[in-house]
Amino acid sequence: MAHPTQLGFQDAASPVMEELLHFHDHALMIVLLISTLVLYIITAMVSTKLTNKYILDSQEIEIVWTILPAVILVLIALPSLRILYLMDEINDPHLTIKAMGHQWYWSYEYTDYENLGFDSYMVPTQDLAPGQFRLLETDHRMIIPMESPVRVLVSAEDVLHSWAVPSLGVKMDAVPGRLNQTAFIASRPGVFYGQCSEICGANHSFMPIVVEAVPLEHFENWSSLMLEDA
């Protein structure tokens, strides 16, 4: 959960998000080194009146400043491509959930069960219980088992939406008439918040996403209760 004055990312709650955080640190360190080198060169050029004739026309320096950027780009591209393929990898999901975007709420359907689905609306500010977050809490949370691969099929019924949960490293566009899919594994129990990340109309800011990861036994008890109530 993000907090006021936070500068970095939210704590990772999935293996993919941990990889994304590591890649962010890796790329940021490269940017920092490049910025430091450029700042030093600018300072040296401005502050000295001396001129080196070998720098003004040097084949060796031109070779270095051509090859070095290419090497740096490779060092950034390889881990980036690795994570890109990891995010696309969906191997034998234990649970499939269909998330449908509407104006302006989400509906969830657990497709592995015969009749398990519900709509998820934002809780109005006046109805919030103590400890709940304004504009982020929903009346029905998406419950998932922790440490289990979960596939989410994302689509929309009216306009473009985007199903995003930063802690899980998940963001997938919901396009009317098209079924997109993403997958994640919640590595620890907890409640993870997200919001629609595609401007979808007047109440775009009021369709939050709440994912609650629980132990498998608790998930089975919850699903049994939901099926009994259906």
Side-chain angles (χ1 to χ4, degrees):
M1 178 66 196
H3 57 79
T5 72
Q6 178 175 331
L7 294 179
F9 290 96
Q10 298 180 29
D11 291 338
S14 71
V16 168
M17 190 58 193
E18 289 180 10
E19 292 288 340
L20 288 170
L21 290 179
H22 292 153
F23 175 70
H24 170 264
D25 295 342
H26 167 73
L28 201 62
M29 185 55 65
I30 292 176
V31 170
L32 181 64
L33 292 174
I34 293 173
S35 302
T36 304
L37 177 62
V38 171
L39 183 62
Y40 168 76
I41 293 174
I42 291 174
T43 305
M45 295 292 290
V46 169
S47 61
T48 181
K49 296 181 180 179
L50 300 176
T51 303
N52 190 327
K53 64 179 181 179
Y54 296 108
I55 292 180
L56 296 176
D57 184 20
S58 173
Q59 294 293 329
E60 292 79 9
I61 290 180
E62 290 187 8
I63 291 172
V64 169
W65 72 38
T66 301
I67 293 177
L68 193 58
V71 172
I72 292 173
L73 288 175
V74 169
L75 291 175
I76 295 174
L78 290 180
S80 174
L81 287 171
R82 173 177 168 271
I83 296 174
L84 195 63
Y85 280 100
L86 281 175
M87 294 175 72
D88 260 351
E89 198 72 31
I90 300 177
N91 288 325
D92 191 23
H94 295 177
L95 180 69
T96 299
I97 303 171
K98 184 178 179 182
M100 288 287 293
H102 307 266
Q103 288 182 311
W104 285 272
Y105 65 95
W106 293 96
S107 61
Y108 298 103
E109 180 183 339
Y110 290 69
T111 58
D112 299 294
Y113 297 84
E114 188 173 344
N115 188 25
L116 179 52
F118 50 84
D119 296 332
S120 180
Y121 290 88
M122 186 192 76
V123 176
T125 303
Q126 62 270 20
D127 297 335
L128 288 173
Q132 290 185 329
F133 298 104
R134 177 178 170 271
L135 301 182
L136 289 177
E137 196 60 59
T138 59
D139 57 354
H140 291 94
R141 294 174 173 177
M142 188 180 105
I143 310 296
I144 60 167
M146 58 176 282
E147 296 180 340
S148 297
V150 177
R151 176 175 58 178
V152 182
L153 304 176
V154 184
S155 187
E157 198 173 63
D158 35 48
V159 298
L160 291 175
H161 300 280
S162 185
W163 198 83
V165 183
S167 295
L168 298 171
V170 175
K171 183 178 184 294
M172 182 56 65
D173 287 344
V175 183
R178 177 170 180 159
L179 201 62
N180 293 328
Q181 71 173 355
T182 185
F184 60 87
I185 300 173
S187 52
R188 56 184 170 86
V191 180
F192 312 110
Y193 294 91
Q195 290 179 298
C196 176
S197 297
E198 187 76 46
I199 296 177
C200 56
N203 291 334
H204 158 68
S205 303
F206 309 111
M207 49 183 301
I209 300 158
V210 183
V211 178
E212 183 174 354
V214 298
L216 181 59
E217 182 182 352
H218 294 184
F219 174 79
E220 290 174 341
N221 294 337
W222 171 82
S223 59
S224 300
L225 289 173
M226 291 291 289
L227 290 170
E228 289 174 6
D229 295 340

